[in-house]
Amino acid sequence: MNLTQLAIKNKSLFYSLLVVFLFLGANTFVDMSRDDMPPFLIRAVSIVSSFPGAGPERVELLVSDAIEKVVQEVPEVDYITSESRTGLSVVTVSLKENVFDLQPVFDRIRRKVESVQSDLPAGVNPVVNDELGDVFGILIGLTADGYSFAEMKEIADEARNRFIKIPDAAKVEIVGDQPERIYLEFDQTRLAEMGLSKTAIENLLSSTNILYSGGDIRIADERIVLEPSGNFESVVELERMFLTSNKGELIRLGDVAKVRRGYVDPPQSLVRVNGEDALVIGINLKKGGNIVQLGQQVDLLLTDFEQTYPIGVDFFRVSSQDQVVDLSVSNFVSNLLQSVGIVLATMLVFLGLRTGFVVASLIPSSIVLTLLFMSLLDVGLNQVSLAALVIALGMLVDNAIVMSESMMVKMEEGESASDAAVSSCRELSVPLLVSSLTTAAAFMAFFLATSTMGEIMGQLFLVVTSALLSSWVMSLTVIPLLGIQFIRISPAESEAKPGLIDKAKVVYRKLLVFCLKKPALLIVSALLLFAVSIWSIGFLPFVFMPDSDKTVISANLELPIGTAIEKTDRVVRQIENFIKEELKVSPEREEGVVSWSSYVGEGAPKYDLGYSSPEANSYSAHILINTTSDLFNQEVIERLDRYCLDNFPDLKTVVDRLSTAGGAADPVSIRLTGNDPLILDPITAAVKAQLRKIAGTKNVTDDWGMRVKKLVVKVDPLRAQLAGLTNQDVALSLQTILTGARVGDYREGDQVIPITMLSDKRKNLTVEQLESLPINSQGGTLNVPLKQVADIDLVWQPAKILRRDLSRTISVGAGLQTGYTAKDITSKLIPWLEQEAGTWPHGYEYEIGGESEDSNKAMGAVIDKLPISFFIIILLLIGQFNSVKKATIVLLTIPLGLIGVVGGLLLARSFFGFMGFLGLISLAGIVINNAIVLLDRIKLEIDEYGREPGEAIIEAGVQRFRPIVLTTATTSLGLIPLWMFGGLMWEPMAIGIIFGLLFATLLTLLFVPTLYKLFFRVKM
């Protein structure tokens, strides 16, 4: 008993199951997780180590090198990069892309770092951060006019406590907080006169400001705790604390130092929203959560906050990935519905009302079943899964068309509807299953590819496979049931007036007979067209992945290393004023910037998978800009870029759209490796000069930057010993005077505010005045000028030292001007690099990074898995036909798709890249499907109807003409909405499949019969 026979005998059960599936599918659709793109793993961990006072070379030698060497022992590590700059080491470990269980690897890396702890300098404690992939999809800006930062922080803390209770929220962070300090600003001269030092004040504070128990005492049957006072209750109380001078006099602390409450100065980072001082609250979506629902829950809280807090306290959405996802999913659902409408209309036009209705019924039932499979496979709604549904839409009706066509033919021959359905199932169930599996197998390489793009695009395989298998099941059950009910065919109808398809069959029969008589002409023509298409690929622009079309622009700003944060802030404020005056939406300007947020000294929270924030520093900033539309993005980018170039010549500016799926920071990047900076520097300068000569480049820079100044205080051991001082006395005295030293803690509620001692004249000191600074011994009994024990020298040092896999590496990067691609630049640069590299000393090499490296990795990972896909396809074909010749015929049709793909992309003035490559591979599966159906019919004509091979070839082509043409029409027309409205990302894939399929279908209908004639030596 076949599946159709089972469905007919249990008709009521199958109809009931169909209703249940429709209900479950609708319910599943509502509850499915939603995101912009499928999640992918960030296989990286950073190890940050603070080494105060050490220059880049000492940090590299004593910290970065030790950590790199021990971490490279972990076998899952792909490559290691490190950044060593003054007082800080950042080692980033990237894992191989075939690693999926990250936590055990992260734990081993953490243990490796702990094992090297004893070899690091005293006080260096590496911090391992394995949460680099956490994305804060919703950023809320908090401004409060007239409120202090401390008061704003209290409000932000209250808001965070509310946000963290949201069911879909995993983590909530606050950015832009200004830590408080209690400052003791002293006059160094007065302090020295009284014989007081930082150590003496620190000891007094620690012994006075206590939180110790005084024990307890028993009174009758009770034990009562004794709590000695000592904790400072106010700043005034701190001012009134008594010190003892070197003459034994009691002096209040407020008499020798100004005690005040303030914030860290200079600030470590600054955040503004629309030009106003602000804090930003980042909300992270829990794994498997629905970001659209998270956004709705956040909106409810924001409405409540508006009613809770007074006027002047405002909450703004700074980044709203939930709104982006909601719009994206809505657009793709709209595209899907448009595709459904197009396919339905095509069915009704070419098949008639009754048959068209039967075939069209497969669409909702198959989609519903596919949604259920997606839910089981943990595939949510996103651009990739919805695009996969659009791709599968045209293909899934193929099974229904073939099945209904077969029933109609058999009914025309006099069989009853039930017998026609059962015999059609017996005849077609295996060929349709094999054709569905071979089509799905073409997508398997993307699922198996061990790369980030493989993780993202792997959902295509899962969704397409689910859709095709759902279609196969429904074609053998629902379609026969409905066909029996609605299709009415009688033998007399075969003599009715021919329709459009019937007229096309007549033309096709004549053309097929001509090609069968002159096979050489067809084959040579196909080979010539294929050769021309290979040659024409070179005329297509290559773009690995286009930038995101979100209405978001990011501006990364970097001044020369060592620039004070105060200057960086001034530059950012000027840029903000330009945005406000020239680009912001206003009554006179409908298109423009809606809002922006600035992050000075520290990057923004990771608001997108394509964004990575740098480690905190004083010389860089980030501006996140929201615009009205993607169409206006380019104008904002160009005008902002020009403004920065004209007004800040020493500012490195990268203003661009967000990258898709975590693309490279610089589209063009060249890594130069070697250990001696004196040799690397001129090589780097030459590469940068050559890049600037190539048309289409902009912002050509390297990641080491220029050398920076450093004052080295050379302590003379003999002079210091004679003065009774040590190197530590010199360092601590200078630190206390210039940057401040922590001497205790002030407790207020649940806060612990550091008490910092510093000089009141630190901001006005000149280099000459440094020599006269008083140096105190730790005991406070000695006080001598710095000049007496040390000399001050000015030296130049690297701003930072970057390494990759234990070798010093300088990366030269360049942006792209409008109309140019990374391939345009690298193709011109590589010949020059190959020639120049021959003149470099041994051990100095280059590597191409950026978009070129990303594309090679992503496409290479897919190509590596293509043999598996083709092996499965070959096995299925041989299993279906039990013939190597027939399998070879099918495989030889695959290259035909390239002709239409290249021609379509050239005609549409599109580009080739990863998505175009994906379309080419996808097309191969569809072409194979058509060939299988055609060859299976030839076999049927010979075995079942007893025709001669020559006649069987012609009749098989004519009989399969309608389903093949209709499949091409539905697939191609169904992809038009994805082409027109799916965005730049999906455009090349949709164009490739549409044009490739149109051309490949024509050739398949002629090429496969011709090859069959030649392979089996059929005489016509």
Side-chain angles (χ1 to χ4, degrees):
M1 182 182 293
N2 60 37
L3 195 56
T4 299
Q5 193 172 1
L6 183 66
I8 293 172
K9 287 188 175 182
N10 300 276
K11 181 170 61 174
S12 298
L13 176 62
F14 270 85
Y15 278 134
S16 299
L17 287 174
L18 182 60
V19 173
V20 170
F21 282 146
L22 288 171
F23 175 77
L24 290 176
N27 192 54
T28 299
F29 178 80
V30 172
D31 294 336
M32 290 178 79
S33 64
R34 286 162 168 78
D35 213 335
D36 185 36
M37 296 291 287
F40 58 89
L41 296 175
I42 302 295
R43 297 174 174 83
V45 58
S46 70
I47 305 159
V48 181
S49 308
S50 179
F51 188 10
E57 292 178 334
R58 292 190 68 191
V59 171
E60 175 197 26
L61 180 64
L62 299 178
V63 181
S64 299
D65 183 71
I67 293 174
E68 288 178 71
K69 286 178 178 176
V70 73
V71 168
Q72 72 170 350
E73 298 171 4
V74 177
E76 291 85 357
V77 170
D78 185 14
Y79 64 91
I80 303 170
T81 60
S82 69
E83 177 181 339
S84 302
R85 62 176 190 252
T86 301
L88 189 70
S89 162
V90 182
V91 177
T92 303
V93 184
S94 298
L95 305 182
K96 295 175 181 176
E97 293 194 319
N98 60 359
V99 179
F100 292 93
D101 192 3
L102 300 182
Q103 202 54 53
V105 183
F106 289 160
D107 290 341
R108 286 207 303 277
I109 291 174
R110 189 173 278 104
R111 288 195 294 272
K112 288 287 185 182
V113 174
E114 290 172 355
S115 70
V116 81
Q117 175 76 56
S118 59
D119 299 330
L120 301 178
V124 176
N125 298 300
V127 177
V128 180
N129 179 14
D130 59 6
E131 298 181 343
L132 300 181
D134 288 348
V135 176
F136 296 87
I138 299 177
L139 300 184
I140 305 297
L142 165 62
T143 61
D145 188 25
Y147 286 69
S148 67
F149 277 109
E151 292 167 333
M152 289 172 62
K153 180 63 164 54
E154 287 183 14
I155 297 172
D157 285 335
E158 292 173 1
R160 176 175 57 186
N161 294 339
R162 298 282 301 277
F163 285 133
I164 200 64
K165 294 178 182 178
I166 294 176
D168 281 324
K171 185 164 55 175
V172 180
E173 288 188 359
I174 298 174
V175 179
D177 175 35
Q178 301 299 310
E180 286 192 275
R181 293 289 185 269
I182 303 297
Y183 286 112
L184 308 182
E185 293 185 342
F186 61 87
D187 184 327
Q188 183 65 30
T189 304
R190 180 163 170 72
L191 208 63
E193 289 174 354
M194 298 187 175
L196 297 174
S197 67
K198 173 243 181 191
T199 305
I201 295 175
E202 184 176 10
N203 291 337
L204 182 62
L205 286 173
S206 62
S207 60
T208 305
N209 188 28
I210 62 170
L211 277 177
Y212 289 130
S213 169
D216 54 57
I217 183 172
R218 178 177 178 181
I219 300 177
D221 291 332
E222 292 184 88
R223 299 203 69 86
I224 300 175
V225 175
L226 301 179
E227 182 181 321
S229 63
N231 186 45
F232 295 126
E233 300 295 336
S234 66
V235 173
V236 174
E237 190 173 331
L238 183 60
E239 287 180 324
R240 292 173 179 173
M241 187 183 71
F242 286 100
L243 304 172
T244 305
S245 70
N246 54 2
K247 298 179 181 179
E249 297 175 343
L250 292 178
I251 307 169
R252 291 186 183 275
L253 179 60
D255 293 335
V256 294
K258 179 183 178 182
V259 182
R260 67 177 178 87
R261 187 169 182 164
Y263 302 99
V264 170
D265 187 21
Q268 298 170 344
S269 64
L270 296 166
V271 174
R272 283 189 297 277
V273 173
N274 297 332
E276 297 183 37
D277 290 335
L279 300 180
V280 167
I281 305 170
I283 306 170
N284 172 239
L285 178 70
K286 73 177 183 182
K287 186 177 181 181
N290 187 326
I291 195 167
V292 177
Q293 289 182 0
L294 175 64
Q296 293 168 352
Q297 294 159 354
V298 168
D299 285 339
L300 289 175
L301 281 181
L302 292 180
T303 302
D304 184 56
F305 291 162
E306 288 179 4
Q307 300 172 356
T308 303
Y309 294 105
I311 295 175
V313 177
D314 297 308
F315 291 87
F316 299 90
R317 274 177 170 266
V318 172
S319 176
S320 302
Q321 197 175 55
D322 60 308
Q323 296 175 357
V324 172
V325 170
D326 193 25
L327 179 62
S328 175
V329 171
S330 297
N331 288 340
F332 266 80
V333 169
S334 175
N335 292 342
L336 180 60
L337 293 175
Q338 291 174 39
S339 298
V340 169
I342 291 172
V343 173
L344 287 174
T346 305
M347 294 297 96
L348 295 174
V349 168
F350 288 101
L351 294 177
L353 185 61
R354 286 178 174 271
T355 307
F357 168 76
V358 171
V359 173
S361 66
L362 181 78
I363 296 173
S365 57
S366 294
I367 288 178
V368 165
L369 195 56
T370 303
L371 290 173
L372 293 176
F373 278 126
M374 288 169 59
S375 180
L376 293 173
L377 294 170
D378 198 26
V379 175
L381 296 178
N382 51 64
Q383 285 195 46
V384 175
S385 63
L386 289 168
L389 283 173
V390 175
I391 295 169
L393 185 63
M395 294 186 286
L396 61 84
V397 297
D398 182 35
N399 292 332
I401 293 171
V402 173
M403 187 69 181
S404 60
E405 176 87 2
S406 177
M407 287 180 63
M408 291 170 64
V409 170
K410 292 180 182 297
M411 290 167 70
E412 287 174 355
E413 294 172 352
E415 292 187 28
S416 67
S418 297
D419 291 341
V422 173
S423 60
S424 293
C425 176
R426 188 182 304 112
E427 179 184 301
L428 294 172
S429 59
V430 174
L432 291 181
L433 177 61
V434 171
S435 64
S436 297
L437 292 176
T438 52
T439 303
F443 291 87
M444 184 180 287
F446 295 93
F447 179 72
L448 298 176
T450 53
S451 69
T452 297
M453 290 306 300
E455 283 183 70
I456 295 171
M457 296 302 166
Q459 288 194 359
L460 282 169
F461 168 73
L462 296 176
V463 177
V464 169
T465 302
S466 299
L468 292 177
L469 292 179
S470 300
S471 166
W472 180 77
V473 172
M474 293 298 174
S475 295
L476 299 180
T477 55
V478 174
I479 296 302
L481 289 175
L482 294 176
I484 293 170
Q485 190 75 25
F486 293 101
I487 295 179
R488 298 287 182 267
I489 296 290
S490 64
E493 288 188 35
S494 59
E495 300 177 3
K497 184 179 180 180
L500 183 62
I501 292 287
D502 297 317
K503 292 178 181 179
K505 279 184 181 180
V506 175
V507 176
Y508 167 65
R509 179 188 286 270
K510 294 179 181 178
L511 187 60
L512 178 58
V513 171
F514 175 80
C515 291
L516 290 173
K517 290 181 178 179
K518 296 185 178 181
L521 179 61
L522 175 66
I523 292 173
V524 170
S525 299
L527 290 175
L528 284 174
L529 286 171
F530 181 70
V532 170
S533 65
I534 293 289
W535 174 72
S536 300
I537 290 177
F539 295 98
L540 284 172
F542 183 88
V543 178
F544 170 54
M545 287 290 285
D547 288 333
S548 170
D549 58 0
K550 298 175 185 176
T551 57
V552 176
I553 293 172
S554 68
N556 292 310
L557 313 171
E558 186 175 311
L559 286 159
I561 296 174
T563 301
I565 194 171
E566 291 87 348
K567 180 180 177 181
T568 307
D569 188 46
R570 288 197 301 272
V571 170
V572 173
R573 285 182 183 275
Q574 288 181 250
I575 295 173
E576 287 180 322
N577 287 334
F578 173 75
I579 294 172
K580 182 178 179 180
E581 297 295 329
E582 301 293 333
L583 300 175
K584 188 179 179 182
V585 171
S586 64
E588 298 79 24
R589 189 184 298 113
E590 294 182 359
E591 290 281 345
V593 173
V594 177
S595 64
W596 71 92
S597 54
S598 306
Y599 306 83
V600 182
E602 188 174 5
K606 189 178 180 69
Y607 54 84
D608 188 88
L609 278 169
Y611 168 74
S612 296
S613 61
E615 288 298 322
N617 58 70
S618 63
Y619 52 84
S620 69
H622 179 82
I623 304 179
L624 173 61
I625 304 170
N626 297 300
T627 64
T628 50
S629 68
D630 178 56
L631 295 175
F632 191 72
N633 281 354
Q634 192 59 40
E635 181 179 342
V636 174
I637 291 169
E638 292 176 358
R639 293 187 63 184
L640 199 55
D641 224 355
R642 174 56 57 186
Y643 175 79
C644 292
L645 182 64
D646 292 343
N647 292 274
F648 312 107
D650 58 346
L651 177 68
K652 176 186 176 182
T653 309
V654 179
V655 186
D656 215 339
R657 294 174 172 86
L658 296 178
S659 60
T660 304
D666 289 315
V668 179
S669 179
I670 301 93
R671 291 193 294 270
L672 305 170
T673 302
N675 285 324
D676 189 350
L678 296 178
I679 298 176
L680 270 180
D681 285 347
I683 293 175
T684 301
V687 172
K688 288 163 67 176
Q690 184 64 26
L691 264 177
R692 291 190 180 101
K693 293 178 183 177
I694 300 175
T697 61
K698 67 176 184 179
N699 297 327
V700 179
T701 57
D702 68 81
D703 55 0
W704 276 44
M706 299 176 63
R707 289 177 169 264
V708 296
K709 300 184 287 292
K710 178 173 71 172
L711 292 174
V712 177
V713 180
K714 292 186 176 180
V715 180
D716 188 303
L718 178 60
R719 286 151 56 190
Q721 189 172 4
L722 292 173
L725 298 173
T726 64
N727 290 42
Q728 185 182 37
D729 292 332
V730 175
L732 289 177
S733 295
L734 291 175
Q735 183 188 65
T736 303
I737 295 170
L738 299 175
T739 60
R742 185 169 180 167
V743 292
D745 294 317
Y746 175 79
R747 301 176 187 87
E748 186 175 74
D750 61 349
Q751 294 187 73
V752 177
I753 304 174
I755 301 173
T756 303
M757 184 175 176
L758 45 73
S759 172
D760 58 356
K761 297 184 177 63
R762 70 191 188 285
K763 292 187 177 182
N764 300 318
L765 288 173
T766 62
V767 175
E768 292 77 13
Q769 290 173 322
L770 286 176
E771 295 181 339
S772 61
L773 289 179
I775 304 300
N776 296 93
S777 65
Q778 295 303 293
T781 56
L782 295 173
N783 187 325
V784 298
L786 176 62
K787 180 63 177 176
Q788 186 172 323
V789 297
D791 298 314
I792 300 176
D793 291 340
L794 176 65
V795 299
W796 293 86
Q797 66 176 8
K800 55 184 174 182
I801 297 173
L802 303 177
R803 309 206 313 180
R804 184 182 174 96
D805 291 334
L806 304 179
S807 298
R808 289 180 170 180
T809 303
I810 298 179
S811 293
V812 177
L816 299 173
Q817 295 179 15
T818 304
Y820 291 87
T821 67
K823 184 182 178 182
D824 297 336
I825 309 304
T826 53
S827 61
K828 295 176 182 177
L829 181 66
I830 288 176
W832 179 87
L833 274 173
E834 290 176 347
Q835 182 178 355
E836 286 295 305
T839 65
W840 297 345
H842 178 71
Y844 291 81
E845 303 170 343
Y846 76 88
E847 286 181 335
I848 301 297
E851 186 178 296
S852 176
E853 182 178 47
D854 287 347
S855 63
N856 289 337
K857 274 187 177 181
M859 297 175 74
V862 175
I863 292 170
D864 287 344
K865 302 300 180 182
L866 280 178
I868 298 175
S869 292
F870 282 117
F871 179 71
I872 292 173
I873 290 172
I874 291 169
L875 287 182
L876 288 169
L877 292 174
I878 293 175
Q880 164 67 18
F881 298 120
N882 194 26
S883 168
V884 174
K885 286 184 179 180
K886 289 184 179 179
T888 305
I889 291 172
V890 174
L891 294 175
L892 287 175
T893 62
I894 295 175
L896 301 180
L898 182 66
I899 301 171
V901 170
V902 175
L905 291 173
L906 286 171
L907 284 173
R909 296 185 178 181
S910 189
F911 58 91
F912 191 77
F914 185 84
M915 298 305 293
F917 176 64
L918 188 154
L920 184 60
I921 301 301
S922 308
L923 181 63
I926 305 172
V927 173
I928 289 173
N929 187 15
N930 289 338
I932 291 173
V933 170
L934 192 53
L935 288 173
D936 182 71
R937 185 67 194 191
I938 294 174
K939 181 177 183 296
L940 185 68
E941 292 288 338
I942 295 173
D943 295 344
E944 295 291 330
Y945 296 97
R947 301 184 191 276
E948 291 297 321
E951 184 184 0
I953 293 173
I954 297 172
E955 286 303 318
V958 173
Q959 289 295 330
R960 286 292 179 252
F961 180 81
R962 183 199 299 264
I964 289 176
V965 168
L966 283 180
T967 300
T968 299
T970 54
T971 304
S972 300
L973 294 174
L975 282 170
I976 288 176
L978 191 63
W979 171 16
M980 303 304 295
F981 310 111
L984 279 177
M985 178 175 172
W986 298 102
E987 177 186 295
M989 187 197 73
I991 292 172
I993 295 178
I994 290 171
F995 285 90
L997 188 56
L998 288 173
F999 195 83
T1001 298
L1002 175 63
L1003 285 181
T1004 300
L1005 286 167
L1006 300 174
F1007 196 70
V1008 170
T1010 303
L1011 286 182
Y1012 186 93
K1013 173 186 181 297
L1014 295 176
F1015 274 51
F1016 290 94
R1017 299 178 182 178
V1018 177
K1019 293 183 179 180
M1020 302 303 296

